[in-house]
Amino acid sequence: MSKAQKTQFRHLMAHEYVESQLMKAGMPYISPNPGAWVPDGPGAWRKANFSPNNALNFGAHDVAPKEIGGSLRHWKRSMGLKIPSVIIARDLSNLDDVVKAAIEELNKKGWSLK
C-alpha cells in the first residue's frame, strides 16, 4: 500500500473501532430519533437539518472519527460536543481513550452509555 492508502486505512480502522465500541456501550449505529430523518425520494431517507446541540440526534457512525481525514472536529461543528484533548495516536493505541471521552461527553448530553 502507498503511504496515502496506509493513512486512509488507519482512519477507517479508527472510525470502525470507535463506532463499534460506542455501539457496544449502547449507542445505535444511526440516530433512533424519527425526527432526525426526512423523506428523500421514493423509499429513501436522509438526515434532517437540526440543531447540533441535541446529541440524541446522532448515532455511533456519526460520532466516530471521520473515515476520511480521521478527525474529531465534527464533534463541535456538527454535534455540539466538546472535542476531546486526546489526539488519536498514529498507531491507534489510544482509541479506548477516544471512546471513553466520547462516552463521557455523550452522557453529559443525555445518553446513558456504559
Side-chain angles (χ1 to χ4, degrees):
M1 285 198 290
S2 71
K3 184 177 179 179
Q5 288 171 321
K6 288 177 185 176
T7 298
Q8 182 57 40
F9 183 73
R10 270 195 316 277
H11 294 164
L12 178 61
M13 290 300 95
H15 172 86
E16 294 299 328
Y17 181 82
V18 172
E19 179 182 82
S20 70
Q21 295 304 303
L22 291 173
M23 291 170 63
K24 194 181 287 187
M27 187 175 217
Y29 176 71
I30 58 173
S31 175
N33 180 356
W37 303 95
V38 294
D40 191 30
W45 295 83
R46 65 175 170 77
K47 282 209 157 193
N49 293 324
F50 45 74
S51 168
N53 295 324
N54 186 351
L56 298 174
N57 285 328
F58 301 96
H61 177 72
D62 304 307
V63 177
K66 291 294 188 186
E67 305 99 10
I68 298 174
S71 93
L72 298 171
R73 288 180 293 204
H74 63 291
W75 281 20
K76 182 173 177 122
R77 183 181 65 245
S78 300
M79 292 177 258
L81 301 174
K82 179 181 173 192
I83 298 172
S85 59
V86 63
I87 297 170
I88 298 172
R90 182 173 170 79
D91 66 359
L92 307 180
S93 61
N94 66 342
L95 289 180
D96 286 327
D97 295 333
V98 174
V99 172
K100 181 180 176 186
I103 289 172
E104 288 174 2
E105 186 65 17
L106 289 162
N107 284 344
K108 289 178 191 174
K109 300 288 186 171
W111 284 95
S112 296
L113 304 175
K114 299 173 183 167

